[in-house]
Amino acid sequence: DPDATPCVLLVHNEMAVLPELLDHYRRCGPVPFLVVDDRSTDATPAFLAAQPDVTVFHPAEGTRYSTHKRGWRGTLLDAVAEGRWALAPDADEFLHYPGLLDGGLPARLSDLDREGAEALHATMVDMYADRPLADHIYAGGGLLDAFPLFDGPDSYRLLASPTRFAANYPSPRALVFGGLRERLFNRHANPDPLQSWLLRHFARLDGSYRGAHGDATERR
């Protein structure tokens, strides 16, 4: 369908979240799914095979997720997404934008086309519950009900991509840091007072930064 927005997914034993995931993106507009099933052993294969808008792919012999996941995703995107918009979330990532779940994806993509945009940088917000991290096991029933909490915008900051990262992944040119992951896994990154002041004033999510061509870009 030339008017549809393909969604490329990589999955492994994702039966707990797959029905909710597919329903979410179906509500955004015409979204066919291209799914790489990485040797799932739960009910995932049978569920995917029963979905009329899902095309299932399998890893080539000798490949594995840890080493070849970008190649799996890239192969499908190269095949179906040249010159058109596509979605490439993880199985537990739900894209949100005002009006998106009312079939609003085509209108939003038209807005981006008029702006001359080639990609949309979406900030990942980790959701969690008020219980130990080890108890965050999802068995279905609604992700937002299971994990209703998230860090506020003041806990995040947007900075230029590190040089080594940018050499391998030139887009996006800026990355968002902070939130739950930094609190849990990078607790020794305590900026000094000057660094804290600079981060508060120049790395805000609602500030501006220099884009790929030196243009000032407002973040909203």
Side-chain angles (χ1 to χ4, degrees), residues 70-193:
R70 292 186 179 89
W72 296 349
R73 183 182 288 116
T75 296
L76 293 181
L77 289 173
D78 288 344
V80 303
E82 184 173 357
R84 67 191 295 182
W85 289 94
L87 301 166
D90 285 347
D92 60 351
E93 292 178 348
F94 291 64
L95 180 65
H96 279 277
Y97 196 88
L100 201 65
L101 297 184
D102 299 319
L105 182 60
R108 178 55 185 151
L109 296 180
S110 295
D111 291 340
L112 293 172
D113 283 333
R114 283 191 292 270
E115 296 173 6
E118 296 181 351
L120 175 66
H121 184 180
T123 299
M124 183 168 63
V125 178
D126 289 309
M127 309 288 290
Y128 52 90
D130 187 14
R131 57 178 183 265
L133 187 63
D135 295 338
H136 281 61
I137 300 173
Y138 184 62
L143 281 169
L144 288 180
D145 291 330
F147 310 115
L149 307 178
F150 59 93
D151 286 24
D154 290 343
S155 68
Y156 292 91
R157 56 187 184 274
L158 194 149
L159 297 168
S161 300
T163 302
R164 182 178 299 178
F165 184 91
N168 294 320
Y169 310 105
S171 178
R173 295 178 64 88
L175 300 176
V176 175
F177 298 87
L180 170 69
R181 296 187 187 214
E182 185 163 86
R183 289 193 291 107
L184 286 177
F185 304 118
N186 197 22
R187 285 174 287 183
H188 299 296
N190 297 316
D192 60 39

Side-chain angles (χ1 to χ4, degrees), residues 6-51:
C7 180
V8 173
L9 296 165
L10 312 181
V11 303
H12 175 78
N13 289 351
E14 301 286 0
M15 194 57 221
V17 73
L18 270 175
E20 188 176 357
L21 175 81
L22 298 188
D23 179 65
H24 175 88
Y25 286 104
R26 285 167 177 157
R27 292 173 62 192
C28 297
V31 176
F33 300 92
L34 291 85
V35 182
V36 179
D37 179 18
D38 181 22
R39 310 169 180 93
S40 293
T41 57
D42 64 355
T44 292
F47 174 80
L48 292 175
Q51 306 305 308

